[in-house]
Amino acid sequence: MDLNDTNGQESPSQTAGPYVHIGCTPNASGIKGVWAQDLGSAMVDKDTSGDRITIRGSVIDGTGAALTDTLVEIWQADAGGICGANDPRGPGDPHFSGFGRSAGDMETGEFRFDTIRPGPVPSRDGGLQAPHITFWIVARGINTGLHTRLYFPEDTAAHANDPILSRIEHRSRIPTLIAKSEGAGVYRFDIRLQGEDETIFFDI
Amino acid sequence: MKPGFIARNRDWQPPALTPRYKTSITRSPQRALLSFPTTLSEETGPVFGHDMLGPLDNDLIHNFAADGASAIGPRIIVHGHVRDQNGRGVPNALIEVWQANAGGRYRHRKEGYIAPLDPNFGGCGRTVTDENGRYEFRTIQPGAYPWPNGPNDWRPAHIHFSLFGGAFAQRLITQMYFQGDPLIPLCPILGSVGDPAAVNALVAPLDMAMTVPMDARAYRFDITLRGRRQTAFENRQEGL
Ligand SMILES: [Fe+3]
């Protein structure tokens, strides 16, 4: 068994640990001046197309406590449904990054993204998926980053035809993927790692 | 539509629940994961260019140090090749790294280890792979450190790595360990990886060929990201 030979497998994942913010959001963690701006801290500018929205939420462990050492990333389509610069249908909105990263509040753990409502993205059969935002969650105690999605509560009709939501055998778990409206353009999306309302995570 | 990604090998990757690593007990999902063929949402991802990098981003010895000063510790170069499972180099992959200082202490408000901070060491760096998927950065060898898990657990010396390939489905965070570290077989976090070959995949060997005489030892750490299936022929289930 040679050292550092992955045998054609993906390199094994390891937990991001409690100090992930040193490397991924150094400015937010108090390490200033190495680079000017944390990656993923601004998704939009004043010229970005689309409806402005805010997404807030917490990552909650099996005891009901919000994690205060997590890193949450999101990836989404622009208002026209184009997924960034390597979408073969591009180009998308040059004023939209599509990528957000939040260390969460150091005291409460609440993450926040100021972004735009995504347009619909095609499914593999050429139809349209319901509008959604891809989430990726890492933290101390999570050995492999967790993929999931946020869907919007007002898109009920599109949810009925969404190919991913349609695959969910336990229909009572679907609400774990649907954000809650907290007023105009503001959504709450809490992610539960365990328990009755455990969020549906993906093996993709 | 391009073929999707090769399924993650859950026997090779660590399981979510690894009780010797105690924090995993309340943070590991317990229900079955939902499987589905990737869509454009997972097959795309943010694109990073070399133009985002500052001149010292890949030099942890100097990127936090006062002018004329440098971080304390054994000087090392870490380099390697980022490839996908089909053996192709992954160009323009963003690599972000973070680590403890030579004494095993992190620059973080929640860090409680008694080893001293190094005023000239921040502990973060980043680089982007070249057109062949190669990368390199310079740092100091981190120290081992104790952590509150079992009654007397120590982490082997390690560097944390975060990787963006071209697709969000390839997103990976892992850790690099150093050849010959006696703490490697004792570590509950590295022990979350069950297969001994998978453990070895994260251990970087000393590389004397790249070592700079009278300056810095080199360690080579290659990384494999998920690859796409090689065939465009896909069975399409009803409704998908
Ligand atoms: Fe560490």
Side-chain angles (χ1 to χ4, degrees):
Chain A
M1 291 186 297
D2 292 334
L3 293 183
N4 192 217
D5 183 353
T6 65
N7 300 289
Q9 304 277 359
E10 180 190 24
S11 293
S13 172
Q14 292 271 268
T15 180
Y19 307 126
V20 58
H21 309 122
I22 293 173
C24 293
T25 56
N27 290 287
S29 84
I31 298 174
K32 312 273 188 194
V34 178
W35 44 83
Q37 198 183 29
D38 288 334
L39 201 66
S41 56
M43 300 178 68
V44 296
D45 65 29
K46 63 181 184 7
D47 296 318
T48 307
S49 300
D51 297 331
R52 297 295 197 277
I53 62 170
T54 295
I55 297 163
R56 301 190 298 210
S58 297
V59 182
I60 299 163
D61 72 13
T63 73
L67 274 58
T68 57
D69 52 12
T70 184
L71 182 80
V72 178
E73 292 183 351
I74 64 173
W75 173 241
Q76 64 167 96
D78 66 17
I82 300 291
C83 303
N86 59 10
D87 186 320
R89 302 165 303 149
D93 181 351
H95 295 281
F96 184 58
S97 77
F99 174 68
R101 178 184 260 180
S102 175
D105 181 276
M106 291 285 171
E107 304 302 326
T108 67
E110 185 165 281
F111 58 78
R112 178 191 170 116
F113 297 101
D114 293 308
T115 179
I116 51 110
R117 194 179 210 286
V121 174
S123 54
R124 290 189 80 82
D125 69 358
L128 287 179
Q129 306 183 65
H132 61 269
I133 294 178
T134 294
F135 273 67
W136 193 68
I137 301 109
V138 293
R140 178 173 67 98
I142 297 176
N143 288 326
T144 304
L146 299 169
H147 285 274
T148 188
R149 278 185 179 187
L150 172 156
Y151 288 84
F152 294 90
E154 58 272 19
D155 295 336
T156 339
H159 294 170
N161 297 315
D162 182 81
I164 308 306
L165 294 177
S166 301
R167 294 180 83 95
I168 298 169
E169 183 185 348
H170 300 106
R171 310 301 291 168
S172 65
R173 298 187 64 203
I174 291 177
T176 70
L177 302 185
I178 298 173
K180 292 185 171 53
S181 174
E182 288 194 323
V186 181
Y187 298 92
R188 168 158 290 273
F189 187 58
D190 289 327
I191 295 162
R192 290 183 171 78
L193 300 176
Q194 294 180 348
E196 268 312 284
D197 302 323
E198 180 179 313
T199 299
I200 299 178
F201 297 106
F202 301 161
D203 186 19
I204 44 163
Chain B
M1 186 123 231
K2 285 187 185 171
F5 281 86
I6 298 168
R8 212 160 224 160
N9 182 346
R10 299 279 170 183
D11 295 325
W12 172 263
Q13 293 292 335
L17 176 61
T18 50
R20 272 189 70 216
Y21 177 21
K22 290 181 181 173
T23 314
S24 76
I25 295 173
T26 54
R27 295 185 172 192
S28 47
Q30 297 175 334
R31 314 248 183 158
L33 301 177
L34 179 72
S35 302
F36 59 88
T38 48
T39 72
L40 273 174
S41 297
E42 297 81 30
E43 293 168 3
T44 55
V47 173
F48 302 104
H50 294 260
D51 55 351
M52 73 181 274
L53 300 173
L56 293 180
D57 282 11
N58 66 347
D59 183 353
L60 286 76
I61 295 177
H62 296 108
N63 70 14
F64 192 77
D67 284 348
S70 59
I72 292 171
R75 297 159 61 87
I76 60 170
I77 291 163
V78 177
H79 76 104
H81 202 174
V82 180
R83 282 174 286 216
D84 67 20
Q85 283 177 274
N86 300 312
R88 294 191 194 98
V90 181
N92 297 313
L94 174 66
I95 301 177
E96 297 163 291
V97 296
W98 64 101
Q99 64 168 82
N101 69 22
R105 168 91 180 245
Y106 282 98
R107 183 174 289 281
H108 194 279
R109 57 196 278 280
K110 288 182 181 167
E111 161 72 287
Y113 184 31
I114 55 173
L117 276 173
D118 175 351
N120 291 307
F121 186 70
C124 62
R126 60 185 182 180
T127 186
V128 173
T129 58
D130 70 13
E131 66 276 15
N132 299 311
R134 295 194 175 275
Y135 76 92
E136 159 175 42
F137 63 91
R138 179 159 72 158
T139 186
I140 50 90
Q141 184 155 7
Y145 59 83
W147 59 299
N149 182 63
N152 191 16
D153 278 324
W154 292 73
R155 297 298 328 279
H158 60 275
I159 300 175
H160 296 265
F161 276 67
S162 163
L163 285 113
F164 286 87
F168 217 61
Q170 294 172 301
R171 194 78 183 82
L172 180 69
I173 282 184
T174 188
Q175 302 181 29
M176 175 197 124
Y177 301 88
F178 292 84
Q179 178 180 18
D181 189 330
L183 292 167
I184 285 175
L186 307 180
C187 178
I189 287 177
L190 187 47
S192 68
V193 175
D195 186 329
V199 170
N200 274 350
L202 296 180
V203 180
L206 177 69
D207 182 355
M208 286 306 290
M210 283 287 284
T211 288
V212 182
M214 305 303 286
D215 184 340
R217 280 174 293 151
Y219 282 86
R220 179 176 175 129
F221 187 56
D222 291 340
I223 296 157
T224 307
L225 299 179
R226 294 175 68 193
R228 288 178 184 274
R229 288 192 296 274
Q230 297 280 41
T231 176
F233 291 96
E234 303 236 309
N235 289 321
R236 195 174 283 159
Q237 279 177 261
E238 196 65 31
L240 294 178

